[in-house]
């Protein structure tokens, strides 16, 4: 009597060995190009081990000397190149004469269990909900670092910009001095912050009662301040989760300030109210 084998089953009833999965090329590890002397200097000062390669032109040969010595100690490549090659490395002519190729810092999920400790230290909290322009993000980070804010939280808004090469270039090294966190389910996150912080959003809604900039310096709990999308402002769910809404009064000649300009005014007030 002869045996019969079905598809994929050899004679004798033994199962066929599993097919080998198709070969996949390993995805290249992502890198970030940090351009400009201020940004590269901050990177080397704060976390030189993240730098994988360094390029600079003749103008910055002397300024790059310490960086080159650090790279040599780390056994990593560095090179002086001409302007054309540096522009190719940077992906832009706006490189300021020096580019560090680095591994991006992760943006971890925010744990609101840390909020009471931050609040006890009188540390204000700056949050962005839908700020989509990377240049605005970079300008806000630069201002926050200038005034000594310790951290920045970005929301899960689909338009929200995250650290990019353009944002780093505008931030002038500010990203290296801030803790950056990402908050999922943003409105729910704001509610969890409330035991420790007074949550204030920013809006131009004339139908909604508002407070002025002076609210950021009043005695009481430290402030968690939220800035919104450049075109649409803060989402309704975010505004509804706030303890108060702040508006900067103007002349009425133009509708509003750029979000980075608004941030500069309000971050200055936040820093003044920390004491």
């Amino acid at each position: 009597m002869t045996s019969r084998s079905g598809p994929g089953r050899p004679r004798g009833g033994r199962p066929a060995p599993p097919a080998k999965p198709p070969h996949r090329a390993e995805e290249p590890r992502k890198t970030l190009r940090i351009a400009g002397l201020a940004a590269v200097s901050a990177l080397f000062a704060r976390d030189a081990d993240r730098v994988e390669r360094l390029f600079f032109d003749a103008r910055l040969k002397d300024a790059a000397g310490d960086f080159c010595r650090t790279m040599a100690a780390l056994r990593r490549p560095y090179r002086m190149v001409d302007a054309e090659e540096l522009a190719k490395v940077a992906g832009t002519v706006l490189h300021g004469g020096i580019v560090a190729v680095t591994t991006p810092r992760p943006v971890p999920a925010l744990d609101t269990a840390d909020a009471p400790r931050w609040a006890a230290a009188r540390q204000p909290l700056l949050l962005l909900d839908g700020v989509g322009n990377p240049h605005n993000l970079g300008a806000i980070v630069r201002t926050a670092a200038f005034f000594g804010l310790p951290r920045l939280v970005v929301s899960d808004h689909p338009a929200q910009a995250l650290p990019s090469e353009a944002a780093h270039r505008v931030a002038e090294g500010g990203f290296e001095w801030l803790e950056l966190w990402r908050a999922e389910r943003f409105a729910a996150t704001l509610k969890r912050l409330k035991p420790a912080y007074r949550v204030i959003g920013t809006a131009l809604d004339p139908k909604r009662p508002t407070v002025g900039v002076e609210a950021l310096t009043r005695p009481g709990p430290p402030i968690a301040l939220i800035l919104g999308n450049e075109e649409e402002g803060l989402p309704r769910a975010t505004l509804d989760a706030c303890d108060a809404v702040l508006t900067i009064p103007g002349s009425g000649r133009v509708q509003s300030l750029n979000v980075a300009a608004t941030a500069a005014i309000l971050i200055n007030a936040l820093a003044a109210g920390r004491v």
Side-chain angles (χ1 to χ4, degrees), residues 2 5 8 27 29 36 79 90 139 146 155 159 163 171 174 189 192 211 214 228:
T2 59
S5 56
E27 292 186 5
R29 193 155 55 98
R79 189 154 56 98
F146 179 86
S155 78
T189 296
R192 291 195 296 272
V211 297
E214 67 279 358

Side-chain angles (χ1 to χ4, degrees), residues 77-114:
Y78 59 92
R79 189 154 56 98
M80 187 170 72
V81 297
D82 61 28
E84 184 178 357
E85 185 173 355
L86 190 58
K88 290 179 181 178
V89 170
T92 176
V93 296
L94 304 174
H95 49 63
I98 189 165
V99 179
V101 180
T102 179
T103 53
R105 284 170 55 194
V107 183
L110 176 68
D111 185 353
T112 53
D114 292 324

Side-chain angles (χ1 to χ4, degrees), residues 140-175:
I140 291 168
V141 167
R142 180 177 179 176
T143 300
F146 179 86
F147 283 107
L149 266 64
R151 59 190 55 86
L152 174 69
V153 178
V154 296
S155 78
D156 55 356
H157 192 295
Q160 177 59 53
L162 294 172
S164 64
E165 293 172 355
H168 273 273
R169 189 166 61 248
V170 175
E172 294 276 338
F175 278 102

